[in-house]
Amino acid sequence: MGLKPSALLASILLFFLVSCGETPKKQELKEAQNTLKKDSILDNPVPEEIQEEPKEKEEEAFVLNEENVIDFFFNYAKELKEDKVRLTTSMGSFTVQLYDNVPYHKANFIYLARKGYFDNTQFHRVVKDFIIQGGNSDDKKTWQKRKAIGRYLLPPDAKKGHKHHRGTISMPSSERDNPHKLASPYEFFIVVTRPGSYHLDGSYTPFGRVIEGMDVVDAINNVPVGDGDWPYQNVYILKAEVL
């Protein structure tokens, strides 16, 4: 059926309006979107002042070694006013007083106590009526703490007039090839012999003495031990506190 002339004219006008009115609006919108995208990404980069700056490299942790250890403890000792350390063990607590004229060994012991090194280590060697020796452990964390603090030895300082009386705290020498008897800084031993173990004088460095809790030291010395003088039941140092 054909359209009437008036209807045909209305259709032509509608087509003209759609073609000449709506299409340009869509085209303009598309061009505007393209322009916005282009301006946002290429023509307007993030201002330099708000760009994320590259992160600075973290400072490397300080680690002691045989080259820096003497200078470090020389300076560390000059600032020390404390001279007592309380060791709380799984069998009770005792307190040691450290000698001022053995500065490197005193500073070392206090430094390790403050670093928390001795916490959860053990008395790993107990020799009846002779010594108890601490500062080691069969726990992997102890090795990890040693690695973080550093690998070093201390020179012997055995000529300051201190003897290995009963109650003396002294530092053993390293087990590796060590003709000069350099001290193993992570361990210590306490003499329980009456009146003392004077055959040790000159070979090891006494750096303090037990002033309180010697009964606890004696109790540790009486625990049953197995091969290698390691106690059958572990005796732990729970905490070392600088007083």
Side-chain angles (χ1 to χ4, degrees):
M1 183 188 314
L3 293 175
K4 294 181 179 181
S6 58
L8 179 61
L9 179 60
S11 298
I12 293 172
L13 288 173
L14 179 62
F15 176 79
F16 178 79
L17 289 173
V18 171
S19 301
C20 299
E22 292 298 324
T23 302
K25 288 182 180 178
K26 292 180 181 178
Q27 184 66 27
E28 289 173 5
L29 178 61
K30 185 175 181 181
E31 290 177 357
Q33 289 174 335
N34 289 337
T35 301
L36 178 61
K37 184 180 293 186
K38 176 182 178 182
D39 289 347
S40 299
I41 298 175
L42 298 178
D43 295 338
N44 293 316
V46 179
E48 292 183 1
E49 60 270 15
I50 63 172
Q51 287 184 1
E52 183 178 357
E53 295 181 0
K55 294 181 179 180
E56 294 183 1
K57 292 183 179 179
E58 294 183 3
E59 291 186 9
E60 293 185 3
F62 175 73
V63 176
L64 286 168
N65 56 52
E66 294 183 5
E67 294 181 358
N68 64 23
V69 64
I70 297 301
D71 287 341
F72 176 79
F73 281 131
F74 176 80
N75 292 316
Y76 191 83
K78 291 193 297 185
E79 304 296 326
L80 280 181
K81 296 181 180 179
E82 300 82 359
D83 66 350
K84 298 181 183 68
V85 177
R86 178 189 295 123
L87 297 173
T88 300
T89 79
S90 53
M91 296 182 64
S93 64
F94 61 89
T95 302
V96 297
Q97 184 172 30
L98 308 178
Y99 301 140
D100 290 330
N101 66 344
V102 190
Y104 298 115
H105 296 69
K106 173 187 174 182
N108 173 78
F109 196 74
I110 289 178
Y111 179 73
L112 294 181
R114 285 177 170 167
K115 296 286 282 186
Y117 168 75
F118 294 116
D119 300 354
N120 299 313
T121 58
Q122 302 166 22
F123 285 97
H124 58 279
R125 184 174 177 232
V126 173
V127 182
K128 180 71 173 175
D129 296 325
F130 179 37
I131 63 165
I132 63 171
Q133 185 168 330
N136 205 340
S137 174
D138 53 4
D139 191 334
K140 183 179 179 180
K141 291 181 180 179
T142 299
W143 176 83
Q144 291 173 334
K145 285 192 287 186
R146 290 191 183 198
K147 183 179 179 181
I149 294 170
R151 182 177 181 178
Y152 62 99
L153 298 173
L154 291 176
D157 200 357
K159 297 181 180 180
K160 295 297 179 64
H162 303 298
K163 295 183 176 297
H164 285 83
H165 300 299
R166 169 176 160 81
T168 294
I169 181 170
S170 187
M171 196 169 290
S173 60
S174 171
E175 295 180 358
R176 55 183 172 171
D177 185 22
N178 187 13
H180 300 294
K181 296 283 187 179
L182 298 178
S184 179
Y186 291 107
E187 299 180 18
F188 62 90
F189 65 87
I190 298 173
V191 177
V192 299
T193 314
R194 300 175 186 271
S197 292
Y198 304 117
H199 66 285
L200 302 176
D201 295 347
S203 297
Y204 304 95
T205 302
F207 62 95
R209 63 189 181 93
V210 176
I211 59 172
E212 184 179 345
M214 192 63 193
D215 57 322
V216 175
V217 176
D218 288 332
I220 296 172
N221 187 246
N222 282 315
V223 299
V225 299
D227 295 339
D229 301 317
W230 196 295
Y232 283 121
Q233 184 172 352
N234 289 336
V235 181
Y236 286 96
I237 298 173
L238 304 177
K239 190 173 184 179
E241 303 171 88
V242 180
L243 305 180

